[in-house]
DNA sequence: TAGGCCATCTGGTCCT
DNA sequence: AGGACCAGATGGCCTA
């Protein structure tokens, strides 16, 4: 109520002036300001509502005399209609000093409190799916994402099933802003454009109304952005993944089941790690492991056990189930250079799609070990793309 | 330049 | 009484 009155009557500046007089302010100045402030405050404040009115306990010596004076005044005013507002009280230098010290202490406490809150938020940022030291999620987005993440994990525990990746990302992104949605999608190597625009149609087809990860109506449609914006956003996200150690979550939940992934390179748990006891373990900032995590979808999508769900996400339109374009899944450098050549990617993806998982990884390994010596029947440029891709996979 | 985000200050309220 | 918590106000910084 008082706050509303403050807002409506624009008294805040005067009140703040009242509460923040300069140190060197003498009593004459104080009395002047006092009058101004009281005039305003009396219009809105009820008795004893100002903190200054609460200071009686601190008052001693000369302040006692003031109190007596004021009591006398009050008696004299008893016959008149009682004025609302704080008691008229002189701001002596001593009282002002005490008030100032109290205010400074309160400010320091409030600062510390907010710092604690912020550090807690930082910790929260580290355990939600997308984390970067350099590009922090805002407070509100962190909380929203955390809520969605908890919800997603709860659904996974409840259903005991491995959810669809797209639906999983959609759940995470529910209610998030477009930039954060792009970021989360980027973390999972999906382009938000696809799972946002398909939400209405594809959801029912693949998940059904009773699905644990039923699609949500999203406020943010990528159509609000131009195509180039979408793409650049996605690319930037992917790039950010690589540069800043963004971490995806999905694989951390389901582990790595592929026999092709026995290499220690893939042993590191992806962030945020979900501990056996259900608690999260905080990720270490800028750990080398984090840098390995960005290419999660490559791991995931190539797993034999996950081919039905994730393989198509990797291999583009020929294996497409949900309309995710192959270009969205290519590494940043490829997209950056060749983003306008989707047909080539599709052909390339089709080629890779025909390979068995073993052959695919063998090919990738070959690319990695003999980079530069591979002859690609489809041409030099295609070979560059493929090699980049393979290098990315094995990075 | 507008809008978003943030840190800080501030006064009010509630609790111990 | 003092501290914690809260919400409003304000100004700075950054970005599209």
């Amino acid at each position: 109520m008082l706050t509303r009155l403050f807002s409506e009557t624009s008294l805040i500046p005067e009140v703040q002036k009242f509460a923040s007089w300069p140190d060197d302010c003498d009593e004459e100045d104080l009395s002047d300001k006092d009058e101004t402030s009281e005039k305003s405050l009396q219009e809105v404040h009820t008795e004893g509502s100002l903190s200054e009115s609460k200071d009686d306990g601190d008052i001693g010596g000369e302040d006692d005399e003031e109190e007596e004076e004021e009591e006398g005044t009050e008696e004299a005013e008893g016959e008149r209609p009682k004025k609302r507002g704080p008691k008229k009280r002189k701001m002596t230098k001593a009282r002002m000093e005490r008030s100032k010290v109290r205010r400074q202490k309160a400010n320091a406490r409030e600062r510390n409190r907010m710092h604690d809150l912020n550090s807690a938020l930082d910790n929260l940022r580290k355990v939600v799916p997308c984390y970067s030291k350099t590009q922090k999620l805002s407070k509100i987005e962190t909380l929203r994402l955390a809520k969605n993440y908890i919800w997603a994990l709860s659904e996974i525990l409840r259903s005991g099933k491995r959810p669809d990746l797209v639906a999983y990302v959609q759940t995470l992104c529910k209610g998030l802003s477009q930039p954060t949605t792009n970021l989360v999608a980027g973390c999972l190597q999906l382009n938000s454009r696809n799972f946002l625009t398909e939400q209405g149609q594809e959801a029912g087809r693949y998940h059904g109304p009773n699905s644990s990860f039923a699609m949500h109506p999203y406020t943010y449609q990528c159509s609000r952005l131009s195509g180039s914006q979408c793409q650049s956003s996605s690319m930037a996200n992917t790039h950010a993944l690589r540069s800043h150690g963004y971490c995806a979550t999905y694989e951390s939940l389901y582990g790595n089941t592929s026999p092709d992934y026995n290499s220690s390179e893939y042993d590191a748990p992806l962030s945020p790690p979900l501990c056996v006891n259900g608690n999260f373990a905080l990720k270490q900032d800028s750990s080398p492991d984090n840098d390995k995590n960005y290419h999660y979808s490559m791991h995931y999508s190539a797993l034999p056990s996950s081919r039905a769900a994730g393989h198509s996400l990797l291999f583009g339109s020929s294996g497409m189930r949900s309309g995710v374009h192959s270009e969205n899944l290519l590494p940043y450098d490829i997209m950056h250079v060749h983003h306008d050549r989707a047909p080539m990617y599709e052909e390339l993806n089709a080629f890779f799609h025909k390979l068995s998982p073993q052959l695919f990884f063998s090919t990738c390994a070959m690319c990695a070990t003999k980079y530069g010596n591979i002859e690609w029947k489809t041409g030099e440029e295609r070979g560059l793309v493929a090699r980049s891709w393979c290098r990315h996979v094995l990075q």
Side-chain angles (χ1 to χ4, degrees):
Chain A
M1 179 65 177
L2 283 177
T3 303
R4 191 172 59 82
L5 284 169
F6 273 137
S7 304
E8 288 175 1
T9 54
S10 306
L11 286 173
I12 287 291
E14 294 194 33
V15 173
Q16 287 179 339
K17 224 189 297 171
F18 179 82
S20 58
W21 289 327
D23 297 350
D24 54 350
C25 191
D26 57 31
E27 292 208 26
E28 283 76 20
D29 291 334
L30 289 174
S31 60
D32 287 341
K33 293 183 179 178
D34 212 355
E35 283 176 15
T36 308
S37 297
E38 282 172 10
K39 189 181 174 184
S40 303
L41 292 169
Q42 282 175 1
E43 294 173 8
V44 291
H45 281 215
T46 54
E47 268 185 308
S49 61
L50 271 183
S51 63
E52 288 302 328
S53 304
K54 295 178 183 176
D55 295 341
D56 295 355
D58 294 340
I59 298 167
E62 58 176 343
D63 290 341
D64 288 340
E65 290 173 13
E66 287 173 21
E67 278 200 333
E68 284 170 12
E69 281 177 17
E70 283 164 11
E71 279 173 10
T73 309
E74 224 171 43
E75 281 173 11
E77 288 177 349
E79 297 170 9
R80 288 178 282 170
K82 200 169 185 179
K83 269 191 177 179
R84 294 170 66 90
K87 296 175 183 177
K88 189 172 183 179
R89 184 155 298 195
K90 260 188 184 173
M91 279 296 291
T92 64
K93 217 165 189 176
R95 177 180 291 175
M96 202 186 73
E97 271 306 307
R98 280 191 296 273
S99 176
K100 201 177 125 194
V101 168
R102 241 191 340 268
R103 193 60 257 175
Q104 284 173 343
K105 279 171 68 180
N107 289 345
R109 280 196 307 272
E110 178 66 9
R111 253 195 319 272
N112 286 336
R113 198 179 70 85
M114 296 311 294
H115 289 165
D116 288 346
L117 188 61
N118 288 338
S119 76
L121 264 168
D122 278 338
N123 288 336
L124 186 60
R125 284 189 184 100
K126 292 172 187 172
V127 298
V128 293
C130 285
Y131 171 69
S132 168
K133 263 180 98 174
T134 53
Q135 192 181 339
K136 289 203 304 186
L137 290 177
S138 71
K139 293 178 176 180
I140 184 69
E141 293 292 89
T142 301
L143 292 174
R144 284 175 180 149
L145 181 56
K147 184 207 74 176
N148 292 346
Y149 185 41
I150 290 169
W151 170 257
L153 295 180
S154 302
E155 286 302 305
I156 290 167
L157 286 175
R158 190 181 63 77
S159 65
K161 292 177 184 173
R162 182 187 196 127
D164 178 87
L165 175 61
V166 175
Y168 174 74
V169 177
Q170 285 182 316
T171 302
L172 287 182
C173 295
K174 183 186 177 187
L176 299 184
S177 67
Q178 180 64 58
T180 310
T181 297
N182 288 337
L183 190 62
V184 174
C187 284
L188 297 176
Q189 294 267 334
L190 279 172
N191 189 324
S192 59
R193 171 179 51 189
N194 299 294
F195 74 82
L196 286 179
T197 52
E198 71 173 8
Q199 58 188 322
Q201 307 142 10
E202 304 294 328
R205 191 192 311 175
Y206 294 112
H207 306 280
N210 297 324
S211 166
S212 300
F213 284 85
M215 301 306 177
H216 302 286
Y218 285 90
T219 307
Y220 299 93
Q221 292 287 337
C222 204
S223 56
R224 291 167 60 189
L225 301 172
S226 70
S228 60
Q229 279 176 303
C230 270
Q231 192 151 38
S232 63
S233 171
S234 175
M235 288 189 293
N237 292 335
T238 310
H239 185 55
L241 277 170
R242 304 182 65 177
S243 304
H244 306 305
Y246 276 118
C247 297
T249 311
Y250 192 83
E251 192 181 44
S252 70
L253 292 175
Y254 298 105
N256 193 341
T257 57
S258 169
D260 296 316
Y261 282 91
N262 292 328
S263 163
S264 60
E265 181 182 351
Y266 303 105
D267 289 342
L270 293 178
S271 175
L274 184 62
C275 299
V276 178
N277 62 7
N279 295 326
F280 294 108
L282 290 184
K283 186 170 60 235
Q284 296 302 310
D285 294 345
S286 306
S287 74
D289 289 341
N290 290 346
D291 294 330
K292 300 174 184 173
N293 295 337
Y294 71 87
H295 55 290
Y296 129 82
S297 72
M298 292 299 186
H299 302 183
Y300 172 69
S301 56
L303 301 179
S305 60
S306 64
R307 286 180 75 89
H311 180 73
S312 60
L313 295 176
L314 171 65
F315 288 114
S317 60
S318 58
M320 198 61 61
R321 186 193 59 183
S322 304
V324 178
H325 302 301
S326 59
E327 64 186 272
N328 305 322
L329 300 159
L330 291 172
Y332 168 77
D333 52 354
I334 297 177
M335 289 193 293
H336 187 67
V337 179
H338 302 289
H339 58 81
D340 56 340
R341 301 184 183 183
M344 183 185 71
Y345 296 142
E346 293 187 4
E347 193 178 337
L348 183 64
N349 287 334
F351 165 73
F352 275 105
H353 187 49
K354 290 174 185 169
L355 302 178
S356 67
Q358 287 77 18
L359 188 53
F360 171 74
F361 283 103
S362 299
T363 306
C364 290
M366 213 165 63
C367 293
T369 55
K370 299 186 178 181
Y371 180 73
N373 296 327
I374 304 295
E375 287 186 10
W376 293 87
K377 294 177 182 177
T378 47
E380 174 65 19
E381 190 179 21
R382 203 164 298 184
L384 281 174
V385 173
R387 284 198 295 268
S388 294
W389 189 11
C390 292
R391 198 174 33 170
H392 173 78
V393 169
L394 292 171
Q395 206 164 20

